[in-house]
């Protein structure tokens, strides 16, 4: 598209950036409850800030996201230990992603494509949810966009400057992997570029084989991989829900192939790698794991719309740009344009995040029972309790445990049967059992026993900002 007035473009970009940042800030200022994954990593960041653990130990306790813990610790050191402090860095990462989306798309299809890409990234419901959680999702997404931008600059640079871009690409790749081990999948993006930019095919093939070998070793070192099949979810996501973005993305790659062959093939190879892992080796279909791909989907959708407009109307292609803006503005499809106190991550797939109101639950528990040292607390997981109660579970109960195991972080025992629960209950005359009243990790027979035989002390239905997505919590007691 031909948009020659750079002043107008800058004004529009500033408006998009400002409003996108405002939406993200509005989604974290109320300090609403962490969900489990947020709470656990934040608790180790808090330990670092309060000098309750050494920096290296605190950062590596959750070995697959050390830079995430350190980033939260830095912000907590400056702003205090709160949900807001832990989430703020990812608000910033999300806002930086808007700028990078513009810069990348502008390089590929001009200013119009840049504005469309920035618009989609800024107001995507999925991106807003990821940018307002104390999770490294927004960081890995933004760093992949940065890698893509640097690859474009590398392709266009003179030979004497290429080494500089290689250095920053490798640095970005390392940062992505340290924020979350899945961020390391971006190695495929870089090595694919090296392969297809090589005149010597043997050298390129050798580099790609090293990348794939490292990729396999890396994944198996990070998690216990298996064979799964999330094809149903993938088809639902890409065709039914986000097909309106996938089609222009593919068109964009078709249009760009002649001029940007190496880059396009690299992005396609990376997309295949991350979607393949999510589809066949991820135990769950959590969308946060493929957030970097979703960012590329929005960016290339923006460039695709722009290129299509330029092909159809040429110098009057701004009409297509305006039409796309108006469509998404009015329909709000997959976008959020008004500030909300909470951006529900479950709108695409139910149960992507278990958004229980742990904060209210544990606050009420502490207000009701101040002397928790005199009673045992049984729970299924450590996460939220460690942040909100400042008391780790005395014993864990988890599905699928046939013989007692030792929790790798706390050293406490993990049991899996109602029989074990009854024996431990008899040994401890007073105690609490925390029940996540959904299909959680707690064995179902223990949950049903509690409902029939123990005293219900407390029930919290849902996060106040997400009442239509309830994840109830219950507190049961005996001997009290």
């Amino acid at each position: 598209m031909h948009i020659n007035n750079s002043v107008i473009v800058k004004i529009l970009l500033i408006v998009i950036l400002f409003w996108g940042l405002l939406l993200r800030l509005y989604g974290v200022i109320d300090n609403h409850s962490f969900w489990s994954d947020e709470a656990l990593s934040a608790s180790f960041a808090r330990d670092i800030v309060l000098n309750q653990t050494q920096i290296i130990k605190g950062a590596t306790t959750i070995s697959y996201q050390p830079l995430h813990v350190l980033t939260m610790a830095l912000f907590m050191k400056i702003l205090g230990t709160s949900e807001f402090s832990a989430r703020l860095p990812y608000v910033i990462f999300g806002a930086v992603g808007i700028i990078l989306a513009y810069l990348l798309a502008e390089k590929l299809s001009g200013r119009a494509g840049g504005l469309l890409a920035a618009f989609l990234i800024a107001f995507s419901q999925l991106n807003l949810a990821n940018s307002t959680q104390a999770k490294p999702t927004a960081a890995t997404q933004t760093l992949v966009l940065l890698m893509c931008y640097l690859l474009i600059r590398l392709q266009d640079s003179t030979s004497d400057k290429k080494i500089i871009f290689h250095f920053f690409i490798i640095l970005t790749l390392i940062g992505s992997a340290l924020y979350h081990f899945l961020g390391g999948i971006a190695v495929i993006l870089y090595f694919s570029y090296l392969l297809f930019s090589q005149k010597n095919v043997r050298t390129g093939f050798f580099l790609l084989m090293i990348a794939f070998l490292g990729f396999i070793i890396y994944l198996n070192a990070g998690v216990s991989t298996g064979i799964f099949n999330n094809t149903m979810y993938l088809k639902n996501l890409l065709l039914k829900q986000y097909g309106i973005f996938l089609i222009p993305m593919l068109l964009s790659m078709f249009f760009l192939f002649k001029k940007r062959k190496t880059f396009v093939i690299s992005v396609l190879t990376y997309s295949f790698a991350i979607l393949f892992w999510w589809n066949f080796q991820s135990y769950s279909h959590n969308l946060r794991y493929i957030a970097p791909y979703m960012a590329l989907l929005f960016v290339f959708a923006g460039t695709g719309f722009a290129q299509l407009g330029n092909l159809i109307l040429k110098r009057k292609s701004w009409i297509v740009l305006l039409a796309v803006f108006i469509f998404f503005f009015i329909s709000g499809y997959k976008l959020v344009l008004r500030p909300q106190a909470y951006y529900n991550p479950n709108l695409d797939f139910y149960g992507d995040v278990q958004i229980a109101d742990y904060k209210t639950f544990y606050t009420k528990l502490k207000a009701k029972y101040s002397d928790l040292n005199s009673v045992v607390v049984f729970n299924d997981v450590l996460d939220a309790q460690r942040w909100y109660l400042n008391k780790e579970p005395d014993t864990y109960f988890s599905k699928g445990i046939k013989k007692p195991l030792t929790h790798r972080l706390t050293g406490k025992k993990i049991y899996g049967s109602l029989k074990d629960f009854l024996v431990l209950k008899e040994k401890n005359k007073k105690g609490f059992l925390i029940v996540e009243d959904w299909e959680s990790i707690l064995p179902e027979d223990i949950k049903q026993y509690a409902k029939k035989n123990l005293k219900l002390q407390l029930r919290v239905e849902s996060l106040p900002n997400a009442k239509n997505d309830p994840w109830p919590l219950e507190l049961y007691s005996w001997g009290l």
Side-chain angles (χ1 to χ4, degrees):
M1 288 186 183
H2 299 283
I3 295 184
N4 296 318
N5 194 325
S6 61
V7 175
I8 293 177
V9 171
K10 290 177 181 178
I11 292 173
L12 289 174
L13 181 59
I14 289 171
V15 170
I16 292 171
L17 175 62
F18 172 79
W19 198 248
L21 177 60
L22 179 65
L23 292 179
R24 286 160 172 77
L25 282 172
Y26 201 83
V28 300
I29 56 175
D30 69 346
N31 277 309
H32 57 262
S33 176
F34 282 140
W35 62 284
S36 293
D37 283 10
E38 288 181 295
L40 184 60
S41 53
S43 70
F44 290 111
R46 179 184 61 188
D47 287 354
I48 294 173
V49 173
L50 299 181
N51 295 318
Q52 294 177 355
T53 188
Q54 295 178 339
I55 294 176
I56 299 300
K57 182 179 179 181
T60 57
T61 301
I62 308 178
S63 59
Y64 55 87
Q65 47 186 10
L67 199 51
H68 169 51
V69 175
L70 289 176
T71 299
M72 290 190 295
L74 174 63
F75 277 74
M76 288 182 186
K77 185 71 175 179
I78 298 170
L79 301 173
T81 55
S82 68
E83 293 90 350
F84 174 81
S85 300
R87 288 169 174 149
L88 183 60
Y90 302 102
V91 167
I92 296 171
F93 265 113
V96 172
I98 299 171
I99 300 172
L100 287 170
Y102 172 82
L103 292 174
L104 175 58
E106 191 270 339
K107 280 287 185 183
L108 296 173
S109 63
R111 294 168 179 167
L115 288 174
L116 276 171
F119 176 78
L120 295 176
I121 288 283
F123 304 122
S124 158
Q125 154 69 30
L126 182 61
N127 281 356
L128 286 167
N130 286 328
S131 297
T132 51
Q133 296 178 33
K135 291 291 294 175
T137 310
T140 55
Q141 182 183 67
T142 297
L143 290 172
V144 166
L145 289 178
L146 177 57
M147 276 190 67
C148 288
Y149 176 69
L150 290 173
L151 285 173
I152 291 291
R153 295 293 305 274
L154 172 64
Q155 188 177 32
D156 295 341
S157 66
T158 57
S159 58
D160 60 322
K161 292 185 178 180
K162 288 187 183 297
I163 189 65
I164 298 174
F165 286 107
H166 280 294
F167 172 78
F168 283 109
I169 290 169
I170 292 171
L171 196 64
T172 302
L173 174 60
I174 293 172
S176 180
L178 290 177
Y179 265 106
H180 194 284
F181 83 95
L182 286 176
I185 296 178
V187 70
I188 300 297
L189 180 64
Y190 182 45
F191 274 88
S192 295
Y193 182 90
L194 294 179
L195 165 63
F196 294 106
S197 62
Q198 287 288 327
K199 293 181 180 180
N200 187 321
V201 177
R202 288 184 180 180
T203 303
F205 182 77
F206 177 71
L207 290 171
L208 188 62
M209 288 303 100
I210 291 176
F212 271 107
L213 179 62
F215 173 56
I216 293 169
I217 294 172
Y218 184 69
L219 286 180
N220 281 280
V223 291
S224 179
T225 56
I227 302 299
F228 302 92
N229 190 349
N230 292 319
T231 303
M232 176 182 68
Y233 298 107
L234 188 63
K235 288 168 62 178
N236 178 287
L237 180 72
L238 294 184
L239 300 180
K240 185 177 180 180
Q241 297 199 58
Y242 286 89
I244 194 171
F245 304 106
L246 180 63
I247 293 172
M249 176 190 188
L250 296 176
L251 282 173
S252 177
M253 290 186 165
F254 175 78
F255 291 136
L256 289 168
F257 190 78
K258 184 176 181 180
K259 183 180 179 181
R260 301 283 187 183
K261 179 180 178 180
T262 301
F263 178 73
V264 168
I265 293 176
S266 301
V267 171
L268 285 173
T269 305
Y270 168 74
S271 299
F272 173 80
I274 194 169
L275 292 177
F276 180 89
W277 178 86
W278 189 81
N279 196 55
F280 295 113
Q281 289 199 289
S282 174
Y283 73 94
S284 72
H285 56 275
N286 297 123
L287 292 184
R288 61 187 178 274
Y289 295 144
I290 55 171
Y293 167 78
M294 299 304 292
L296 294 176
L297 179 69
F298 292 129
V299 168
F300 279 93
T303 62
F305 282 125
Q307 290 162 321
L308 190 61
N310 191 48
L311 179 68
I312 295 172
L313 296 177
K314 297 183 179 179
R315 293 190 178 278
K316 292 186 178 181
S317 56
W318 60 268
I319 296 174
V320 176
L321 169 66
L322 183 62
V324 172
F325 267 120
I326 291 174
F327 169 79
F328 282 109
F329 189 85
I330 294 176
S331 69
Y333 185 73
K334 296 297 182 182
L335 305 181
V336 176
L337 300 172
R338 295 181 180 180
Q340 296 180 10
Y342 187 75
Y343 303 100
N344 195 326
N346 294 332
L347 291 187
D348 292 317
F349 286 146
Y350 177 73
D352 198 29
V353 173
Q354 297 77 45
I355 50 175
D357 189 2
Y358 291 104
K359 185 175 186 177
T360 298
F361 177 81
Y362 284 110
T363 299
K364 288 184 176 181
L365 192 163
K366 287 189 290 186
K368 202 170 185 178
Y369 304 99
S370 56
D371 184 18
L372 290 172
N373 292 323
S374 63
V375 296
V376 295
V377 178
F378 294 167
N379 207 336
D380 59 352
V381 292
L382 167 69
D383 305 27
Q385 182 176 328
R386 192 177 196 277
W387 172 268
Y388 286 114
L389 202 60
N390 289 327
K391 173 183 170 66
E392 295 176 350
D394 296 284
T395 304
Y396 302 87
F397 292 90
S398 180
K399 291 178 180 177
I401 305 296
K402 295 181 179 180
K403 294 182 179 180
L405 301 176
T406 300
H407 196 287
R408 70 179 185 87
L409 296 180
T410 67
K412 302 292 179 62
K413 289 296 182 181
I414 309 173
Y415 298 91
S417 71
L418 176 59
K419 180 181 178 181
D420 289 325
F421 173 80
L422 294 174
V423 170
L424 291 166
K425 173 179 171 291
E426 189 63 28
K427 288 182 179 179
N428 297 277
K429 299 305 179 182
K430 296 188 296 182
F432 292 115
L433 172 66
I434 295 171
V435 172
E436 296 170 327
D437 197 15
W438 60 83
E439 193 175 338
S440 59
I441 296 176
L442 184 70
E444 188 64 27
D445 54 356
I446 296 178
K447 186 187 300 182
Q448 294 306 318
Y449 174 86
K451 289 178 178 292
K452 294 176 182 177
N453 300 283
L454 302 183
K455 183 178 180 181
L456 177 63
Q457 297 282 4
L458 178 63
R459 180 177 170 94
V460 174
E461 292 292 341
S462 63
L463 193 70
N465 296 323
K467 290 186 179 296
N468 294 328
D469 190 5
W471 296 82
L473 297 167
E474 293 180 334
L475 177 69
Y476 290 92
S477 70
W478 66 92
L480 293 169

